[in-house]
Amino acid sequence: MANKISRVKTPRANLLRGVILLCRGKAAGFSEIGAGPQDFLSSLAPMIAFPLVGTVLMLSSGRWREAATDFMAALCAVLAPPVLSYVLARRWGREEQWFRFATAFNWCQWVLPLLVSLLVLTSGVMVQGGLSPKASIGLLACILLAYAFWLHWFLARHGLDLSKGRAALLVFMVNLGTIILVAGPQLVQLYLFGSHAA
């Protein structure tokens, strides 16, 4: 009997399936993503690796100031959302759910560049249909932003078990704080080195 029980296969988590479910507004996707410290670090690693590669390429071409400020801005963009959301989660007594939310948030960010590609193709179709390029890009940018904010809100609402209002407040505070932190290094560069810094 014990041997039979040990042979029973437990369903394995599927990261891609989890991301697709979450991006479609299905909270069941959280069970596929993971909810521990290691899961969070795994989701964070590729988000840091890409800016790091870009920084190394800039350094190899001698643009050390630009490389440093761009890497600081990218690092702030990656780390600010988890840090700021953790502060709010702890304040609202949701520390235990935070890893689940933050891990899902990181993985779901990779869907947005794919949507940009699809929207670029859609923009071409709209222009051929008679809409001006400026209007089509503006319309599709608004759609992308609306979806990105909705996805962030959905993940906060269900990942942290927040009310609709608190989830909206978290999205506002995290995005505002991230914008301020990301713009900081660029503003410092302009102040210290001027617009012609290389």
Side-chain angles (χ1 to χ4, degrees):
M1 183 68 177
N3 288 338
K4 288 183 180 179
I5 293 173
S6 64
R7 288 177 190 164
V8 174
K9 292 184 178 178
T10 55
R12 294 181 62 191
N14 185 314
L15 180 61
L16 180 59
R17 181 171 60 212
V19 170
I20 291 171
L21 284 171
L22 290 172
C23 290
R24 290 174 50 214
K26 307 290 184 183
F30 281 108
S31 63
E32 306 282 351
I33 297 293
Q38 189 58 50
D39 298 308
F40 171 69
L41 292 175
S42 296
S43 72
L44 196 61
M47 299 182 76
I48 294 176
F50 278 95
L52 191 57
V53 170
T55 300
V56 170
L57 292 175
M58 282 189 196
L59 288 172
S60 66
S61 64
R63 301 181 306 177
W64 64 273
R65 286 183 188 157
E66 186 179 344
T69 54
D70 284 359
F71 182 69
M72 287 172 61
L75 204 58
C76 284
V78 170
L79 296 179
V83 170
L84 295 172
S85 64
Y86 178 78
V87 171
L88 291 171
R90 189 172 73 171
R91 181 176 180 84
W92 293 330
R94 298 294 193 274
E95 287 176 85
E96 291 183 11
Q97 294 100 322
W98 180 81
F99 279 116
R100 177 177 65 174
F101 159 75
T103 302
F105 177 82
N106 286 345
W107 285 124
C108 288
Q109 295 307 298
W110 294 103
V111 170
L112 299 178
L114 295 176
L115 287 179
V116 169
S117 301
L118 290 174
L119 291 177
V120 167
L121 294 174
T122 305
S123 176
V125 172
M126 292 169 70
V127 169
Q128 288 181 352
L131 193 64
S132 72
K134 192 173 182 179
S136 66
I137 290 172
L139 175 63
L140 294 175
C142 288
I143 292 171
L144 180 65
L145 278 174
Y147 176 76
F149 284 128
W150 170 84
L151 180 60
H152 194 176
W153 176 85
F154 173 81
L155 295 173
R157 172 119 166 81
H158 296 280
L160 293 171
D161 293 325
L162 296 176
S163 66
K164 293 178 181 180
R166 280 190 171 177
L169 180 60
L170 182 140
V171 171
F172 175 76
M173 296 297 290
V174 167
N175 282 282
L176 178 62
T178 301
I179 289 169
I180 292 169
L181 291 170
V182 170
Q186 302 297 333
L187 293 175
V188 169
Q189 180 186 11
L190 285 174
Y191 178 76
L192 293 177
F193 305 111
S195 59
H196 302 293

